[in-house]
Amino acid sequence: MLWNSLNQTVELGWDFYLPVILFVSLIALAVPVWAAIGSAAILMLVMSGDLPLSLVGESLFTGIDAFALTAVPLFILTGDVLVRTGLSRKFLDVAEALTCFTKGGFGSATVLVCGMFAAISGSDAAGAAAVGRMTIARLVESGYPRPYACALVAAGACTGILIPPSIAYIIIGLVLGISASTLFLAALIPGLAILFSILITNLIVNRIYAYEGGGMMSFGEWAANLGVALKSGWYAFIVPGIIFYGIFSGRLTPTEAGATAVVVTIAMGFILRTLSFADFPAMLVSSAKVNGVILPIIAFSTPLAEALAIMGVPQGFVGAVTGLTDDPMVLILLMIGILIAAGCVMETTPNIVILAPILKPLADNIGMNEIQFCIMMITALGVGFITPPLGLNLFVVSGITGESILKIAARAVPYVLCMFVVVLLIAYIPAISTTLLPDIYK
């Protein structure tokens, strides 16, 4: 019904259908996403004749010619340096000391260290790989079944794009013309809400199945353990401190904060003698591989977005959807359903650059705050990191442990549900996203 309404509104023809068929076919054949997007965009432009092909090269350059995008490789590199210097293990020690008084203490520590790593790297996959290597074996030793331990790490690592600074917020800010610093501030409460929902879900599951033992300790014992951990690893928090203070105080842009974090992390590695010049080639290559996946997608998505805009697809989508219902509650649920479904089959970056310009007019039409829309969109897409068939975090932890992806996905169901609840709260309660913002954005 929605498709028919859209077709009647925009009068779609083969200049739309064939590129869509080509895109879906290439994705099904495991062709790189940037190549699938680029092929579909070029075919759409050729068939429609709305934009000269001579301008495609200019569009590709324009798509990545943004100072804000410089922050992406910097945060990715910071995460790599953090792992190689061993500072990430200091986060784990402190997180374990914070949660050691509860049953399920190490599971809770795993979730917390995922959040700490997210506050630096801004990448889900990097967090899942780094934290997974440190914690999964110990989680199994503590009594957790291996599939559940993998699911816990995969879910915790979802905070990589939800807790600022996040690469996803940099990209959606670029696509929609919104300051990344503003989005980081708005995402702080929702990101922490996701983190604590995962933590509480693990405590409930652990209480039901008694995976991990342990008991209550006195306040004195807990404070002593925490003091020891902080004394031996306080310096690891200098890096996230610089990032958060620099960005939220307005003294540093996200790009400047990323550059400062890289320099400080490398300097700490040399001071602690855990980093040498011999480590640099591997770090740079690893970061370049991740960055090389993201930037081509952004570049090739620009001409596709232009073609869709010229054909009137975003406006047609709004007309088609509002023609079916004008109830804001239902329309919000529809948007969430589209985002979660898209997150299940495609990575976050292409989803942002393709869907944000299409769904944003619908959000505007029902009066949703544009900042709230961005937070809702990224959080809903984040659910896709632990849902098949794509589920990037599922593949990462499966690659580390050799555990079946389907077994991990089955154990991740409670976390999918708890994240979905938070998405609904963000969508229907604007204050969750706007409380920390200046009045001008509310």
Side-chain angles (χ1 to χ4, degrees), residues 239-364:
V239 179
I242 289 173
I243 294 174
F244 273 79
Y245 175 75
I247 293 176
F248 295 142
S249 68
R251 296 179 183 274
L252 298 174
T253 65
T255 300
E256 292 167 344
T260 305
V262 169
V263 172
V264 171
T265 310
I266 290 174
M268 292 175 67
F270 280 118
I271 293 172
L272 297 171
R273 297 182 179 181
T274 56
L275 188 68
S276 67
F277 285 108
D279 294 317
F280 276 74
M283 285 192 307
L284 294 175
V285 168
S286 175
S287 298
K289 285 181 178 179
V290 177
N291 196 55
V293 171
I294 296 173
L295 291 186
I297 292 174
I298 298 174
F300 280 95
S301 296
T302 303
L304 178 61
E306 291 174 350
L308 291 173
I310 292 172
M311 296 174 67
V313 172
Q315 297 80 4
F317 179 79
V318 173
V321 172
T322 54
L324 297 175
T325 177
D326 58 358
D327 187 341
M329 304 285 283
V330 177
L331 293 175
I332 289 174
L333 276 178
L334 177 63
M335 284 194 288
I336 292 174
I338 291 172
L339 291 169
I340 291 179
C344 290
V345 297
M346 196 160 56
E347 296 175 8
T348 303
T349 301
N351 276 325
I352 291 172
V353 294
I354 294 173
L355 293 177
I358 294 176
L359 295 179
K360 173 67 162 49
L362 179 58
D364 293 338

Side-chain angles (χ1 to χ4, degrees), residues 123-419:
S123 170
D124 277 40
V131 177
R133 290 190 180 99
M134 290 190 299
T135 62
I136 289 177
R138 284 191 57 187
L139 286 168
V140 174
E141 290 175 2
S142 300
Y144 292 96
R146 184 175 294 274
Y148 180 81
C150 294
L152 179 62
V153 172
C158 287
T159 56
I161 66 164
L162 306 178
I163 292 179
S166 163
I167 293 171
Y169 286 118
I170 294 173
I171 295 172
I172 196 172
L174 180 68
V175 171
L176 298 181
I178 301 172
S179 165
S181 297
T182 302
L183 291 174
F184 285 169
L185 188 60
L188 191 56
I189 293 177
L192 291 176
I194 287 288
L195 177 70
F196 284 108
S197 72
I198 294 171
L199 192 152
I200 292 170
T201 300
N202 174 63
L203 290 176
I204 293 173
V205 172
N206 190 73
R207 175 64 67 100
I208 294 172
Y209 295 101
Y211 288 146
E212 185 176 355
M216 298 297 293
M217 62 173 60
S218 67
F219 177 80
E221 291 175 320
W222 173 79
N225 286 339
L226 181 59
V228 171
L230 289 173
K231 184 177 180 180
S232 64
W234 63 269
Y235 50 83
F237 292 87
I238 293 176
V239 179
I242 289 173
I243 294 174
F244 273 79
Y245 175 75
I247 293 176
F248 295 142
S249 68
R251 296 179 183 274
L252 298 174
T253 65
T255 300
E256 292 167 344
T260 305
V262 169
V263 172
V264 171
T265 310
I266 290 174
M268 292 175 67
F270 280 118
I271 293 172
L272 297 171
R273 297 182 179 181
T274 56
L275 188 68
S276 67
F277 285 108
D279 294 317
F280 276 74
M283 285 192 307
L284 294 175
V285 168
S286 175
S287 298
K289 285 181 178 179
V290 177
N291 196 55
V293 171
I294 296 173
L295 291 186
I297 292 174
I298 298 174
F300 280 95
S301 296
T302 303
L304 178 61
E306 291 174 350
L308 291 173
I310 292 172
M311 296 174 67
V313 172
Q315 297 80 4
F317 179 79
V318 173
V321 172
T322 54
L324 297 175
T325 177
D326 58 358
D327 187 341
M329 304 285 283
V330 177
L331 293 175
I332 289 174
L333 276 178
L334 177 63
M335 284 194 288
I336 292 174
I338 291 172
L339 291 169
I340 291 179
C344 290
V345 297
M346 196 160 56
E347 296 175 8
T348 303
T349 301
N351 276 325
I352 291 172
V353 294
I354 294 173
L355 293 177
I358 294 176
L359 295 179
K360 173 67 162 49
L362 179 58
D364 293 338
N365 191 66
I366 61 175
M368 178 179 281
N369 183 293
E370 64 176 6
I371 305 296
Q372 181 191 8
F373 166 75
C374 291
I375 305 302
M376 179 194 74
M377 179 172 187
I378 299 303
T379 309
L381 290 175
V383 179
F385 280 92
I386 52 173
T387 50
L390 179 63
L392 181 59
N393 288 2
L394 301 179
F395 280 90
V396 171
V397 295
S398 175
I400 294 172
T401 63
E403 193 63 54
S404 164
I405 291 175
L406 292 180
K407 289 183 178 180
I408 300 173
R411 294 303 185 101
V413 170
Y415 299 108
V416 173
L417 296 177
C418 78
M419 291 177 67

